[in-house]
Amino acid sequence: MTHLLRLQPIFRDILDDDRLNLSEDFSKEQCEDWDSVATVQIVLAVEEEFGVQLPTRLVGNLHSVRQLLDELAN
Amino acid sequence: MASLTLNPEQLLDLPESPLAALVAASGAAAILETWAPLLPQLTLIGPDFIGSFLNRIEQEKCVEDLVTHGYLAADSSWSQSPRSHWLQARLLRATGKPAEAFRAFEQILKHGSSLPSQFLLDAASTAIESGEYPMAAHWLSLATRYSTDFHLIQKAVRLYRRLEKSGPLDDLPTLRIALLLDTAPQLIEPILKAKGYAAGIHLEIFSADYNGVDPLLFGDRTPLLDFSPDIAILQLNYRQLEDLHKGETPTEWVSRQAERARRRWSLLSLERTCRILQHTCDLPPSPSDGNLSTTAPHGLSHRIHLLNAALLKTVPENVSIVDTQRLQTSDPSQTWNDDRLWYMARQHPAPESIPVLADEYIALARAHLGYTKKIIVLDLDNTLWGGVIGEDGIEGIQIGTESPEAEAHRNFQIALKQLRDRGILLAVSSKNNEADARLPFEAHDGMYLQLEDFAAFQANWNSKDQQLRSIAERLNLGLDSFVFVDDNPVEREWIRNQLPEVTVIDLPSDPSQFTSALLKGRWFEALAISEEDRRRSEIYRQQAERKNAQQHSSSLDEYLAGLQMIARSGPFDAAHINRAAQLIQRTNQFNLTSRRHSKEVLQQISEDSDTYWTRWFSLQDRFGDNGIIGLIIAKIGGSQWTIDTFLMSCRVIGRSVDSFMLNTLVEAARSSNATQINGLYSPTPKNQLVAEFYPSHQFVKGDSVGGETSFQLDIEQYMPDATPIKVG
C-alpha cells in the first residue's frame, strides 16, 4: 500500500495529471500519455524514489503499475 | 506504531537523513510537541526531511492542530528560519492558501541564495498556482540554470510547460536548434528547452530520429531546410561508430570517419550556413581488450583518439567543437554510460549526464546570441588576496606561493589574467583607502595582476552600487554586461537588490574554488577570438587617458581637434567579418536598428555587393588605435538606399565618428546615383541615445509603424556634417 502511495506523485507528475488516483491495475492502455518516453521517465523516477535499480528485463517491458509493485516487493 | 521518545537536544546535533527517518516514525503527539517547536532551530533540514514531515502531517491529519497552535501564521516562530519557513509555505499551499504561500516564498528567497534548488521549484510551482507568472519564471530560471540534477530538471521541465501557456516566456529571443544526434533525442529535448528558458532563450528544436541523421542530410533535406536552423548539433559516440571494413587499416578508417563528419558539415553549410556544434567522440568505459584498446593501432580507443585529432586538425569557422571527453570527466553525476538505457531507449549518454550536455550547448548558444559578459568587477580584500590590506599590511596578506591560501588567490589572479588577455575587462571595486588598495600591486611580488591590467579602479568609501555605476559610466558599458565578484555576502546582496541587471557570483568561502565559481556560469564563452579582443584592455585604458585630456581642454572642439583622429573604412571582407559580427552582437546603445545578423548571414550579405553596401570604420588618434568601431549596412534599391544597420561602439561616442560615417554613406550613395536614403529607428530598452540621430542629421521624419519610425534624407540637399576626423 505504501509503495502505491509513493508511486502516485511520480505518475501524476510524469503523466501531467494532478487528479490521477493510481491503482494497482493502472496500465499503459488506460493512458495515452504513457508513451515510451514516459516509460523511461517512470523507471528513472521510481529508481530515484526507492533507491533501487530496476532490472533490464522489467524496464524493456513495463506497462503496468502492478509490475512495479511486484518488483518493489522483492 | 511504537512511540519513540525524542530528546530535542540530541536532535539538534543530527544531520538531515536520520532526522527524516525519525520524523517518518513520529506520531501526531511527537509532531506537535517535539518537532513543531524545534523546527526553526533545525538549520540543516532539506527536501527529504520536509517531504517526510509533510507526509506524516497528512497521514496523522494534524494540520488543524498546527493551525490552532499558530504555526501557519505569518509571524510564527517558523518564519524565523528559512527552512522552517519553507515548510510553512508548503503547508499553506497544501491547505489551499497559495497566495499566502507565495508571500512566504517571496520572503524566504529575498535573502537566501544558497538554498537548495528544490526550494525554488516549490516556490515557482506556488507562484504559477497564484498567477504570479513573472516571479515563477524568475525562480524557475534560478533553479534550473545551475542544477545538473536530472530529476530536479525533469520537474522544472513540467513547470515550464505550465508556464508556456501563461505568457512570461513569450518575449524571449528565439533560437532554432537542429539536434542531429544519431541517438534518441526524446530525453534530451525537454531538458535542453528548459535550460534554454533558464538562460533567457526560447529554443525551437528540430530533432532527427534515432539513426536518422544521415538519411536527413544525404537524402531528402526538405524538413531540415524548412526548419532552417541557427545551430545544428552533431554528435559522435563510441556506440555507433562504423566498424573497420575488411582489410581496412586503422589510418584509413580514421580518415573515412573524419571525412564523413566533414561531409556533414559541408551539407549543413550548403544553402544557409548555420553554426555547427560538433561533438568529439567519447571513449568506451571498459573495452574488452583493456589497455590494448588504447595502445594497439586496431584498438577502438586508439582509433577514437586519432579520429578526434583528425577532426580538430582543421575546423571551419562556422564549426565549434564540443569536447565530449571533457564533459565525460567533469560530469558530477559520473554516469556517462548506462547500457540499460541504451538497450531500452537508445539513450546515450546516461540521463543523469544530459544536464551537463545541455549546459554545454546553451553556453555556446548564448555566445552565438552575443550574451557574453564584458567586464568582471572584483573586490580586493579576501577576494584578490587573502586578508585585509588595511589591517594586515603588506606582510600580512596572503598572495603568492608561500602558503596554500596565497597560492589559491594567485591562481585565481592567473585565471583572471587569462580572461583579460582574451578581451574580458577587469575592474576593481573596493571599500578601501586608495593608497592601501594600490599598495599590494605596487609592492607585493606575489601579485600576478598588475595595475595596468585593470580598465577601472574604484577604491574609496562609496557604496558598491555607486562604484559600479561609476565604472559603467567611465567605460560606457551597460550594467548588464557586468559580472560582480565579492567575498562579502552582504555586498553581493546589496548589488543584487540595487542593480539587478548585474550578474553576481556566489563566491564560496574557500579561495581554491573561486575560479570554478566564476567560470561555472559560462559567462565568458565566445565562438572565436579576434585581434580586437586581445587589445581590448589596452583600448579601454587609452579611453581613460582621453577623458583626462578632455577635462584639460577648454572646449569640445579643441579637444576633438587635439585628438588628431584618422578614420579608415572598407567593405566587409574576410579580414574584417569576425569583428563586424562581434560588433553587431555586442553593440546596444548606439545602434539604430539593432538587427543581430549572425556571422553566417553577414557573410552572405558581404558577398552580395549588388544588393548591399557594407562598410566598417576604424579610428586612430594620438592616444592609440581604437580598432574597428563602426558599421553600416545599406540595402541598395535603385535610387533609394535603405539603412539596414548603422551602429557605433560606445567607446567613441561624442567624437563625431557618426557624422563621419554618415558622410561616407551619403557620398557612396550619391556616386552610385541614388537620390534618397531611408533610415529606420527601432527603439530598444537601451538605444534611447540615438532616438534623435536622424532628425539631427538632416533626415525628415516619416511614418511610425509598430514602434519603429522611418526617416528620409534627400541626398542632393545634404550638407556634409563638419568633423575633425581625417580620412586615412
Side-chain angles (χ1 to χ4, degrees):
Chain A
M1 188 57 200
T2 52
H3 285 170
L4 190 61
L5 270 180
R6 285 165 78 187
L7 286 175
Q8 173 151 301
I10 295 176
F11 277 80
R12 282 184 177 180
D13 238 12
I14 291 169
L15 303 176
D16 201 19
D17 179 356
D18 280 345
R19 275 164 300 180
L20 175 70
N21 264 323
L22 199 65
S23 70
E24 288 186 31
D25 302 325
F26 189 76
S27 72
K28 215 169 167 172
E29 290 71 42
Q30 297 164 35
C31 175
E32 58 178 298
D33 286 343
W34 186 345
D35 56 12
S36 59
V37 179
T39 302
V40 175
Q41 291 177 332
I42 289 166
V43 167
L44 294 170
V46 168
E47 292 184 341
E48 156 95 353
E49 168 68 24
F50 291 86
V52 295
Q53 185 151 26
L54 301 173
T56 308
R57 164 182 50 75
L58 171 66
V59 298
N61 176 37
L62 179 65
H63 55 85
S64 71
V65 171
R66 192 180 305 279
Q67 283 174 295
L68 283 173
L69 291 173
D70 289 348
E71 182 63 35
L72 291 169
N74 293 329
Chain B
M1 191 178 292
S3 69
L4 279 164
T5 315
L6 300 169
N7 176 346
E9 268 175 42
Q10 288 172 337
L11 290 179
L12 286 179
D13 297 331
L14 291 177
E16 185 188 5
S17 64
L19 286 176
L22 285 171
V23 80
S26 298
I31 288 175
L32 285 168
E33 284 152 30
T34 310
W35 292 104
L38 196 63
L39 273 182
Q41 287 158 270
L42 298 175
T43 51
L44 291 176
I45 54 175
D48 288 346
F49 176 88
I50 289 177
S52 298
F53 197 86
L54 290 168
N55 199 7
R56 289 313 299 156
I57 292 172
E58 198 184 335
Q59 300 295 312
E60 299 286 329
K61 305 193 175 31
C62 53
V63 184
E64 281 313 312
D65 295 325
L66 290 167
V67 174
T68 316
H69 282 76
Y71 285 114
L72 296 197
D75 59 352
S76 90
S77 64
W78 283 8
S79 62
Q80 303 304 311
S81 135
R83 313 252 160 176
S84 53
H85 204 180
W86 182 33
L87 183 63
Q88 186 196 50
R90 288 280 305 263
L91 269 176
L92 283 168
R93 193 181 162 202
T95 50
K97 295 177 177 143
E100 289 173 34
F102 174 75
R103 277 195 296 278
F105 277 123
E106 249 185 336
Q107 274 191 10
I108 300 169
L109 293 166
K110 200 160 61 188
H111 302 294
S113 46
S114 55
L115 296 168
S117 296
Q118 185 63 48
F119 276 44
L120 290 155
L121 283 192
D122 286 344
S125 159
T126 307
I128 293 174
E129 204 177 314
S130 326
E132 303 277 354
Y133 301 122
M135 210 56 207
H138 176 63
W139 286 335
L140 210 40
S141 154
L142 289 179
T144 311
R145 194 181 297 162
Y146 296 113
S147 175
T148 53
D149 178 338
F150 174 78
H151 297 281
L152 187 127
I153 299 174
Q154 282 293 338
K155 291 183 188 144
V157 164
R158 291 190 271 278
L159 291 177
Y160 269 123
R161 272 194 201 128
R162 287 193 228 162
L163 213 49
E164 271 172 350
K165 300 167 197 153
S166 315
L169 306 171
D170 292 352
D171 296 333
L172 297 179
T174 300
L175 196 71
R176 288 186 304 280
I177 293 192
L179 272 181
L180 310 177
L181 298 182
D182 289 316
T183 58
Q186 284 84 355
L187 289 182
I188 297 185
E189 208 178 310
I191 291 188
L192 183 57
K193 205 157 168 148
K195 284 279 188 182
Y197 282 136
I201 309 168
H202 171 87
L203 296 180
E204 277 178 28
I205 301 178
F206 169 97
S207 294
D209 296 331
Y210 165 64
N211 262 343
V213 177
D214 283 342
L216 193 64
L217 283 178
F218 295 93
D220 178 12
R221 300 155 46 72
T222 325
L224 196 57
L225 290 178
D226 286 350
F227 178 69
S228 186
D230 300 306
I231 293 180
I233 300 173
L234 292 169
Q235 204 200 41
L236 254 185
N237 69 75
Y238 69 87
R239 295 182 191 276
Q240 287 169 291
L241 286 174
E242 288 182 79
D243 289 334
L244 276 166
H245 284 172
K246 208 167 175 207
E248 188 177 40
T249 67
T251 320
E252 286 163 353
W253 179 90
V254 167
S255 23
R256 187 160 63 84
Q257 299 307 316
E259 188 47 41
R260 181 167 165 238
R262 287 178 194 282
R263 279 224 309 284
R264 286 172 155 195
W265 297 348
S266 49
L267 281 169
L268 275 169
S269 311
L270 266 186
E271 286 87 358
R272 174 177 178 270
T273 320
C274 64
R275 167 70 35 188
I276 295 169
L277 312 188
Q278 171 70 58
H279 275 252
T280 57
C281 188
D282 51 3
L283 289 171
S286 44
S288 57
D289 45 357
N291 162 268
L292 284 177
S293 177
T294 311
T295 308
H298 282 79
L300 180 57
S301 308
H302 186 98
R303 285 181 282 136
I304 288 174
H305 281 297
L306 290 182
L307 169 57
N308 287 339
L311 287 176
L312 295 179
K313 212 166 172 186
T314 39
V315 182
E317 278 195 89
N318 65 323
V319 177
S320 300
I321 299 289
V322 174
D323 189 344
T324 318
Q325 289 176 20
R326 178 166 56 73
L327 298 182
Q328 214 174 345
T329 49
S330 66
D331 173 14
S333 78
Q334 291 297 332
T335 45
W336 188 264
N337 308 285
D338 188 331
D339 290 340
R340 210 173 38 129
L341 263 293
W342 173 248
Y343 305 140
M344 176 183 168
R346 290 294 178 248
Q347 174 57 45
H348 180 81
E352 288 82 352
S353 300
I354 295 176
V356 171
L357 193 62
D359 282 340
E360 189 73 17
Y361 298 157
I362 295 295
L364 289 159
R366 292 179 67 248
H368 182 84
L369 287 168
Y371 291 178
T372 311
K373 301 288 172 189
K374 296 175 184 170
I375 181 166
I376 307 171
V377 181
L378 297 143
D379 175 50
L380 295 177
D381 291 329
N382 284 319
T383 301
L384 276 195
W385 54 72
V388 177
I389 183 67
E391 290 168 14
D392 302 325
I394 193 80
E395 291 83 19
I397 60 166
Q398 296 292 310
I399 180 68
T401 49
E402 65 275 7
S403 73
E405 189 195 352
E407 193 171 345
H409 284 286
R410 186 176 164 93
N411 276 321
F412 182 49
Q413 292 197 3
I414 292 175
L416 290 165
K417 171 85 169 165
Q418 287 165 348
L419 286 164
R420 177 211 172 268
D421 288 346
R422 66 171 183 81
I424 312 297
L425 301 176
L426 304 181
V428 163
S429 158
S430 168
K431 285 182 179 168
N432 247 319
N433 294 323
E434 175 146 11
D436 285 343
R438 287 177 177 270
L439 188 59
F441 294 97
E442 289 157 351
H444 201 302
D445 52 15
M447 292 285 288
Y448 193 81
L449 288 170
Q450 301 301 311
L451 280 173
E452 57 262 31
D453 291 325
F454 295 91
F457 198 95
Q458 286 278 316
N460 50 51
W461 297 97
N462 292 337
S463 65
K464 291 234 170 182
D465 63 309
Q466 281 176 296
Q467 295 186 338
L468 262 64
R469 276 185 230 270
S470 147
I471 294 169
E473 197 177 326
R474 183 175 290 242
L475 300 175
N476 270 334
L477 288 172
L479 283 163
D480 60 350
S481 62
F482 275 54
V483 171
F484 179 68
V485 182
D486 197 316
D487 67 295
N488 185 342
V490 177
E491 296 291 5
R492 296 203 295 260
E493 192 180 333
W494 176 256
I495 293 296
R496 270 202 196 93
N497 289 329
Q498 296 297 313
L499 306 171
E501 60 272 53
V502 171
T503 298
V504 178
I505 303 291
D506 268 316
L507 219 53
S509 54
D510 188 332
S512 70
Q513 292 162 14
F514 282 7
T515 306
S516 59
L518 173 66
L519 300 178
K520 185 174 73 168
R522 310 290 290 268
W523 306 111
F524 314 107
E525 204 66 47
L527 298 176
I529 176 162
S530 68
E531 190 49 36
E532 220 71 25
D533 293 326
R534 296 197 183 88
R535 294 188 48 243
R536 183 162 297 118
S537 284
E538 190 192 330
I539 289 169
Y540 275 88
R541 229 187 37 259
Q542 294 162 1
Q543 182 79 1
E545 289 174 30
R546 280 182 204 105
K547 283 234 157 136
N548 204 18
Q550 188 173 359
Q551 281 160 7
H552 291 91
S553 303
S554 56
S555 74
L556 184 64
D557 285 345
E558 183 197 297
Y559 159 69
L560 289 179
L563 281 176
Q564 300 160 13
M565 294 183 284
I566 298 170
R568 276 177 249 279
S569 65
F572 296 177
D573 52 13
H576 299 94
I577 196 110
N578 271 337
R579 172 60 179 161
Q582 196 182 40
L583 262 184
I584 283 212
Q585 298 299 347
R586 291 173 66 106
T587 309
N588 299 316
Q589 299 176 65
F590 199 111
N591 196 336
L592 290 161
T593 60
S594 299
R595 291 183 183 158
R596 308 288 186 191
H597 301 304
S598 70
K599 191 182 139 196
E600 288 73 31
V601 170
L602 284 182
Q603 189 81 43
Q604 284 158 1
I605 287 178
S606 70
E607 283 159 12
D608 188 2
S609 59
D610 291 338
T611 319
Y612 290 101
W613 181 84
T614 60
R615 274 296 176 281
W616 53 262
F617 295 84
S618 72
L619 184 73
Q620 204 182 333
D621 61 31
R622 74 180 166 98
F623 293 101
D625 192 346
N626 294 276
I628 295 177
I629 40 67
L631 300 179
I632 302 177
I633 301 172
K635 191 160 191 204
I636 303 168
S639 65
Q640 296 200 359
W641 284 29
T642 302
I643 292 175
D644 172 277
T645 295
F646 193 116
L647 62 82
M648 190 176 84
S649 164
C650 43
R651 53 179 196 248
V652 295
I653 285 172
R655 292 165 60 183
S656 80
V657 177
D658 42 340
S659 297
F660 182 88
M661 288 169 63
L662 184 61
N663 290 348
T664 311
L665 168 67
V666 176
E667 196 41 53
R670 196 200 307 267
S671 60
S672 76
N673 297 321
T675 55
Q676 183 177 317
I677 293 178
N678 302 318
L680 186 72
Y681 172 61
S682 320
T684 70
K686 295 191 191 156
N687 71 352
Q688 186 58 32
L689 176 73
V690 290
E692 295 302 315
F693 172 80
Y694 292 117
S696 62
H697 288 87
Q698 306 172 40
F699 280 74
V700 178
K701 193 170 172 191
D703 302 333
S704 292
V705 182
E708 298 186 331
T709 312
S710 64
F711 297 86
Q712 285 81 40
L713 178 76
D714 183 343
I715 292 180
E716 277 192 21
Q717 302 292 320
Y718 180 75
M719 299 286 295
D721 264 359
T723 158
I725 301 175
K726 298 199 165 46
V727 182

